[in-house]
Amino acid sequence: NPAFTAMLPQNRPARVTVYLKDGRTAERAVSSSQGGFDNPYPESMLLDKFGQLAEGVVGNDAAKQIISLGQALDELKDVQELTCWLKPSLNNRNVRYYVERTGLRKDLLGSDH
């Protein structure tokens, strides 16, 4: 789209068009999407998303601990205070399924904290 190209590099425009089964369309265009350096996501949104994604791998408690320790990274005496929480938990059904399907060595996974 030449009009969008002309907006570069100051903006990063995008347009989405959704075609509905009944023939209607819905369209939205923005000159710059959220998440870039010029329009970053709020910290709370990033932490929520990280928590949701991490919970599926390391579990809820570990995800909360990772967020907490990550926010206090400069106060940690040893980075292992954080990294010990990063191993997937066998208590998580998604991790158990992956281990069963791939034969991943269970000793590579974290103990449940």
Side-chain angles (χ1 to χ4, degrees):
N1 180 324
F4 280 13
T5 302
M7 297 171 76
L8 297 170
Q10 295 81 12
N11 294 301
R12 292 186 328 274
R15 178 188 338 240
V16 174
T17 305
V18 177
Y19 298 91
L20 304 174
K21 287 182 179 181
D22 66 6
R24 293 180 297 145
T25 62
E27 184 172 282
R28 173 103 192 259
V30 294
S31 61
S32 187
S33 60
Q34 188 172 18
F37 65 91
D38 56 335
N39 189 14
Y41 289 115
E43 182 177 340
S44 61
M45 186 182 251
L46 293 173
L47 293 175
D48 286 346
K49 182 167 185 172
F50 174 83
Q52 291 171 11
L53 295 172
E55 183 179 332
V57 178
V58 297
N60 185 41
D61 292 340
K64 289 178 182 177
Q65 193 68 18
I66 292 165
I67 289 170
S68 176
L69 291 167
Q71 291 178 311
L73 197 57
D74 57 341
E75 299 169 19
L76 299 181
K77 293 178 183 164
D78 187 331
V79 73
Q80 287 183 341
E81 293 176 51
L82 169 63
T83 59
C84 72
W85 293 94
L86 300 177
K87 290 184 178 181
S89 168
L90 270 177
N91 280 340
N92 183 285
R93 65 184 170 94
N94 295 331
V95 172
R96 278 196 315 271
Y97 176 80
Y98 181 79
V99 168
E100 291 166 4
R101 302 291 285 172
T102 64
L104 180 71
R105 290 179 22 215
K106 292 181 181 178
D107 62 313
L108 296 176
L109 301 173
S111 61
D112 298 300
H113 300 283

